[in-house]
Coordinates of all heavy atoms in Angstrom, one line a residue:
K1333 N 36.3 4.3 19.1 CA 36.3 3.0 18.3 C 35.5 3.2 17.0 O 34.5 3.9 17.0 CB 35.5 2.0 19.2 CG 35.6 0.6 18.7 CD 34.8 -0.3 19.5 CE 34.6 -1.6 18.8 NZ 33.4 -2.3 19.3
V1334 N 36.1 2.7 16.0 CA 35.4 2.8 14.7 C 34.1 2.0 14.8 O 34.2 0.8 15.0 CB 36.3 2.4 13.5 CG1 35.5 2.5 12.2 CG2 37.5 3.2 13.5
S1335 N 33.0 2.6 14.5 CA 31.7 1.9 14.6 C 31.5 1.0 13.4 O 31.9 1.4 12.3 CB 30.6 2.9 14.6 OG 29.4 2.3 14.6
N1336 N 31.0 -0.1 13.6 CA 30.6 -1.0 12.5 C 29.1 -0.9 12.2 O 28.5 -1.8 11.7 CB 31.0 -2.4 12.7 CG 30.3 -3.0 13.9 OD1 29.6 -2.3 14.6 ND2 30.4 -4.3 14.0
K1337 N 28.5 0.3 12.6 CA 27.1 0.5 12.3 C 26.9 1.7 11.5 O 27.8 2.6 11.4 CB 26.4 0.6 13.7 CG 26.5 -0.6 14.5 CD 25.5 -0.5 15.7 CE 25.6 -1.9 16.5 NZ 24.5 -2.0 17.5
L1338 N 25.7 1.9 11.0 CA 25.3 3.1 10.3 C 25.2 4.2 11.3 O 24.9 3.9 12.5 CB 24.0 2.9 9.6 CG 24.0 1.8 8.5 CD1 22.5 1.6 8.0 CD2 24.9 2.3 7.3
P1339 N 25.5 5.4 10.9 CA 25.4 6.5 11.9 C 24.1 6.7 12.6 O 23.0 6.4 12.0 CB 25.8 7.8 11.1 CG 25.8 7.4 9.7 CD 25.9 5.9 9.6
K1340 N 24.1 7.3 13.7 CA 22.9 7.5 14.6 C 21.8 8.1 13.9 O 20.6 7.8 14.1 CB 23.4 8.3 15.8 CG 22.3 8.5 16.8 CD 22.9 9.3 18.0 CE 21.9 9.5 19.1 NZ 21.6 10.9 19.4
D1341 N 22.1 9.2 13.1 CA 21.0 9.9 12.4 C 20.7 9.3 11.0 O 20.0 10.0 10.2 CB 21.4 11.4 12.3 CG 22.8 11.6 11.6 OD1 23.4 10.5 11.3 OD2 23.2 12.7 11.4
F1342 N 21.1 8.1 10.8 CA 20.7 7.5 9.5 C 19.1 7.4 9.4 O 18.5 7.0 10.4 CB 21.3 6.0 9.4 CG 21.1 5.5 8.0 CD1 22.1 5.7 7.0 CD2 20.0 4.7 7.7 CE1 22.0 5.2 5.7 CE2 19.9 4.1 6.4 CZ 20.9 4.4 5.4
I1343 N 18.6 7.8 8.3 CA 17.2 7.8 8.0 C 16.7 6.5 7.5 O 17.2 6.0 6.5 CB 16.9 8.9 7.0 CG1 17.2 10.3 7.6 CG2 15.4 8.9 6.5 CD1 17.2 11.5 6.6
W1344 N 15.7 5.9 8.2 CA 15.0 4.8 7.5 C 13.6 4.7 7.8 O 13.1 5.3 8.9 CB 15.7 3.5 7.9 CG 15.1 2.8 9.1 CD1 15.4 3.0 10.4 CD2 14.2 1.7 9.1 NE1 14.6 2.2 11.2 CE2 13.9 1.4 10.4 CE3 13.5 1.0 8.0 CZ2 12.9 0.4 10.7 CZ3 12.6 0.0 8.4 CH2 12.3 -0.3 9.7
G1345 N 12.8 4.1 6.9 CA 11.4 4.0 7.1 C 10.8 3.4 5.9 O 11.6 3.0 5.0
F1346 N 9.5 3.2 5.8 CA 8.9 2.6 4.6 C 8.3 3.7 3.7 O 8.1 4.8 4.2 CB 7.8 1.6 5.1 CG 8.4 0.4 5.8 CD1 8.1 0.1 7.1 CD2 9.4 -0.4 5.2 CE1 8.6 -0.9 7.8 CE2 9.9 -1.5 5.9 CZ 9.5 -1.8 7.2
A1347 N 8.0 3.3 2.5 CA 7.6 4.2 1.5 C 6.2 3.8 0.8 O 6.0 2.6 0.7 CB 8.6 4.4 0.4
T1348 N 5.5 4.8 0.4 CA 4.2 4.5 -0.4 C 4.0 5.7 -1.3 O 4.8 6.7 -1.3 CB 3.0 4.5 0.5 OG1 2.8 5.7 1.2 CG2 3.0 3.3 1.5
A1349 N 2.9 5.7 -2.1 CA 2.5 6.8 -2.9 C 1.0 6.9 -2.9 O 0.3 5.9 -2.8 CB 3.0 6.5 -4.4
S1350 N 0.5 8.1 -3.0 CA -0.9 8.4 -2.8 C -1.8 7.5 -3.6 O -2.7 6.8 -3.0 CB -1.2 9.9 -3.1 OG -0.7 10.3 -4.4
F1351 N -1.7 7.5 -4.9 CA -2.7 6.8 -5.7 C -2.6 5.3 -5.5 O -3.6 4.6 -5.7 CB -2.5 7.1 -7.2 CG -3.7 6.6 -8.0 CD1 -4.9 7.4 -8.1 CD2 -3.6 5.4 -8.8 CE1 -6.0 6.9 -8.8 CE2 -4.7 5.0 -9.5 CZ -5.9 5.7 -9.5
Q1352 N -1.5 4.8 -5.0 CA -1.3 3.4 -4.8 C -2.0 2.9 -3.5 O -2.2 1.7 -3.4 CB 0.2 3.0 -4.8 CG 0.8 3.2 -6.2 CD 2.3 2.8 -6.2 OE1 3.2 3.6 -5.9 NE2 2.5 1.5 -6.6
I1353 N -2.3 3.8 -2.6 CA -2.8 3.3 -1.3 C -4.1 4.0 -0.9 O -4.9 3.4 -0.2 CB -1.8 3.5 -0.2 CG1 -1.5 5.0 0.1 CG2 -0.6 2.7 -0.4 CD1 -0.8 5.2 1.4
E1354 N -4.4 5.2 -1.4 CA -5.5 6.0 -0.7 C -6.9 5.5 -1.0 O -7.7 5.4 -0.1 CB -5.4 7.5 -1.1 CG -4.2 8.2 -0.4 CD -4.1 9.6 -0.8 OE1 -4.9 10.1 -1.7 OE2 -3.3 10.3 -0.2
G1355 N -7.2 5.2 -2.3 CA -8.6 4.9 -2.6 C -9.4 6.2 -2.4 O -8.9 7.3 -2.5
S1356 N -10.7 6.0 -2.0 CA -11.6 7.2 -1.8 C -11.4 8.3 -2.8 O -11.2 9.4 -2.5 CB -11.4 7.7 -0.4 OG -11.6 6.8 0.6

Side-chain angles (χ1 to χ4, degrees):
K1333 189 183 165 206
V1334 176
S1335 172
N1336 64 349
K1337 296 190 177 192
L1338 298 171
K1340 184 174 181 244
D1341 52 358
F1342 191 87
I1343 293 171
W1344 93 276
F1346 295 118
T1348 60
S1350 50
F1351 194 77
Q1352 295 183 269
I1353 64 165
E1354 287 181 354
S1356 298

